[in-house]
Amino acid sequence: MIRNTTGARTRTARTARAKLTVLVAGVLGASLVALAPAASAAVPTAATATYTCHPSWKASGGLYYLYEGYSDTNTTNTKKGQTGNRVIEVQCLLTYWANRVGDSKFSPKGIDGEFGSNTEAAVINAQKACFSDSSEWDGEVGPNTWPCLRRWSTT
């Protein structure tokens, strides 16, 4: 503490102490806010949600297949207009292959859990790469397309 000859604190010392108090309160306050439960935080909607993919390879029946962490189905139909974990899985699988082969036509243009036009177009492009029969190019992920996306090889 800085004192003048009369023993009173100087203005500089008071200002410095006030700034330090504000700084400490700001740091502690931010820490407490970060630790507080997010009861008042807005719940993300499908329009604002983004998801992280977790690619890994799983063994099943002597084969390895790609699994992204949201759905392990190989048969359930998933198509335009649907939302949820199966859609996120499809979008993650498509993103994985788009990055792997370096071709954006396989990208769903984001992972939001909504099966929209971009996801449908990416599925059709993947189906064209997987199936020579154009009757398979329907934009839906079903019993034939799931295995294609999970084990797709570019060789």
Side-chain angles (χ1 to χ4, degrees), residues 59-92:
S60 176
L63 296 173
Y64 286 90
Y65 69 93
L66 188 60
Y67 173 69
E68 292 285 353
Y70 292 96
S71 174
D72 62 358
T73 186
N74 274 324
T75 58
T76 308
N77 279 356
T78 307
K79 59 186 178 179
K80 189 173 181 180
Q82 293 181 328
T83 61
N85 285 346
R86 286 194 326 264
V87 176
I88 299 167
E89 184 78 9
V90 168
Q91 292 172 331
C92 285

Side-chain angles (χ1 to χ4, degrees), residues 87-103:
V87 176
I88 299 167
E89 184 78 9
V90 168
Q91 292 172 331
C92 285
L93 291 168
L94 289 165
T95 299
Y96 175 87
W97 290 115
N99 292 335
R100 178 99 167 123
V101 301
D103 195 336

